[in-house]
């Protein structure tokens, strides 16, 4: 019998499981109100605990592997960043029926940005650039490799395969041209830098149109700075991308590689999520539409 994991909508047995975990390991929090957040995330189930905490349970073994990294590195990264990041308050242990470590974090206010309905796109672009730049300035000593820390060329076979599989849904010729341009761009110079590596709408919180927090650091580590420019296509409208690029000081080679990263990630997400997770598939389609619409923006 497979181990019980939080159900997809965070209801029913998931809530009962969280309550049982709290009673066993954090009894001082066990009787606080517990409410599923309705998060559309695919890696973790989230439950608001009281008014100022959240319980985060991995849904997969891969997400569980990220718990140690976040508890170790988030407190070290936070002081140098201009937006809030999750504060670890407790690390839960596996129990019978639930095989992975889990976490209690401080609650962060804000809403996920809705692509196409941003209140202050230019201001948000500047905020995102400031966050990325600050993260890159954090010292790299002892840092782990990012989940997307491999050279872009290492994704060549998988990306071309995704283009072929999706040729009835995307313009294969245009996708191939963007990919070729990205591969032709010079490789990054200098040492790898800290990257979040997954700056998508679901991992950002905004308040009054401005970036208030960045969450889910499971992919973070050292990598190509181009990886975090995916926010330009995943979050921002075309008119605000120049603001983001100028504020970050991104050169042509890094921008081209960033387009390649965004293309590759979106293609693989669309292939994986179509028919199973419409929200994620819809975001991937939107990104691909922006990337393949023409131009370099």
């Amino acid at each position: 019998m497979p181990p019980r994991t939080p159900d997809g909508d965070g209801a029913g047995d998931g809530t009962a499981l969280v309550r049982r975990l709290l009673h066993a390991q954090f009894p001082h929090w066990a009787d606080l109100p517990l409410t599923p957040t309705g998060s559309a995330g695919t890696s973790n189930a989230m439950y608001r605990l009281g008014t100022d905490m959240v319980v985060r349970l991995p849904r997969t073994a891969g997400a569980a592997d990220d718990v140690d990294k976040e508890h170790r590195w988030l407190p070290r990264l936070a002081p140098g960043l201009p937006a809030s990041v999750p504060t670890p308050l407790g690390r839960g242990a596996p129990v019978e029926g639930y095989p992975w470590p889990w976490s209690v974090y401080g609650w962060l206010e804000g809403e996920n940005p809705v692509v196409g309905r941003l209140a202050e796109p230019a201001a948000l672009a500047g905020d995102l650039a400031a966050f990325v730049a600050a993260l890159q300035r954090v010292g790299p000593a002892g840092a782990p490799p990012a989940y997307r820390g491999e050279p872009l060329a290492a994704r060549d076979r998988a990306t071309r395969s995704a283009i072929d599989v999706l040729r009835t849904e995307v313009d294969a010729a245009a996708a191939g041209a963007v990919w070729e341009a990205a591969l032709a761009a010079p490789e990054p110079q200098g040492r790898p830098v800290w990257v979040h590596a997954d700056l998508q709408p679901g991992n950002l919180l905004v308040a009054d149109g401005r970036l208030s927090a960045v969450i889910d650091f499971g992919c973070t580590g050292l990598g190509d700075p181009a990886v975090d420019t995916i926010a330009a296509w995943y979050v921002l409208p075309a008119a605000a991308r120049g603001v983001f690029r100028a504020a970050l000081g991104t050169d042509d080679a890094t921008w081209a590689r960033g387009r390649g990263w965004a293309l590759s990630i979106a293609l693989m997400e669309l292939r994986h999520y179509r028919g199973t997770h419409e929200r994620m598939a819809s975001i991937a389609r939107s990104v691909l539409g922006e990337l393949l619409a023409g131009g370099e923006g």
Side-chain angles (χ1 to χ4, degrees):
M1 181 176 178
R4 178 183 296 174
T5 57
D7 32 294
D9 61 3
D13 285 349
T15 302
L17 170 63
V18 175
R19 187 70 75 185
R20 178 165 67 88
L21 292 170
L22 289 169
H23 272 288
Q25 300 182 41
F26 300 104
H28 52 295
W29 292 331
D31 294 325
L32 292 173
L34 185 66
T35 309
T37 65
S39 168
T42 59
S43 299
N44 298 276
M46 309 280 285
Y47 302 80
R48 188 164 185 174
L49 179 62
T51 59
D52 58 358
M53 292 181 287
V54 63
V55 178
R56 188 166 178 253
L57 268 63
R59 287 187 170 124
T60 67
D65 289 341
D66 298 329
V67 171
D68 284 341
K69 177 166 65 174
E70 292 196 330
H71 278 255
R72 178 184 179 188
W73 286 103
L74 281 170
R76 304 186 191 191
L77 295 173
L81 300 177
S84 297
V85 299
T87 300
L89 301 177
R91 184 187 186 281
V95 298
E96 183 179 356
Y98 185 75
W100 301 312
W102 51 282
S103 303
V104 180
Y105 288 102
W107 178 260
L108 292 169
E109 295 290 347
E111 303 290 338
N112 296 133
V114 178
V115 178
R117 299 210 301 269
L118 302 178
E120 300 283 348
L124 180 59
D127 294 343
L128 285 166
F131 180 88
V132 171
L135 184 58
Q136 291 178 5
R137 289 194 295 268
V138 176
Y147 170 68
R148 295 183 172 117
E150 74 273 19
L152 189 63
R155 301 172 67 91
D156 186 42
R157 182 175 180 180
T159 300
R160 292 184 192 278
S161 174
I163 292 172
D164 187 58
V165 168
L166 297 168
R167 60 176 52 253
T168 61
E169 296 190 54
V170 302
D171 184 332
V178 171
W179 185 241
E180 291 289 353
L183 293 179
E187 288 296 310
Q189 302 298 309
R191 65 188 184 185
V193 297
W194 273 100
V195 294
H196 178 277
D198 202 21
L199 290 179
Q200 301 197 32
N203 294 332
L204 305 174
L205 297 177
V206 297
D208 298 323
R210 305 299 297 268
L211 182 68
S212 61
V214 178
I215 60 177
D216 196 343
F217 280 70
C219 296
T220 198
L222 299 183
D224 179 356
V227 174
D228 277 348
T229 67
I230 69 167
W233 297 276
Y234 265 89
V235 182
L236 300 173
R241 282 181 207 133
V243 175
F244 174 79
R245 181 177 179 180
L248 196 54
T250 304
D251 61 29
D252 289 345
T254 303
W255 196 249
R257 293 195 309 275
R259 294 182 82 225
W261 274 105
L263 176 80
S264 180
I265 294 167
L267 285 167
M268 294 183 194
E269 288 182 340
L270 179 56
R271 181 174 62 179
H272 180 74
Y273 289 117
R274 58 181 182 158
T276 63
H277 196 301
E278 185 49 39
R279 180 176 181 273
M280 293 295 291
S282 177
I283 290 172
R285 289 189 185 97
S286 175
V287 173
L288 291 168
E290 292 295 318
L291 286 163
L292 305 182
E296 296 298 317

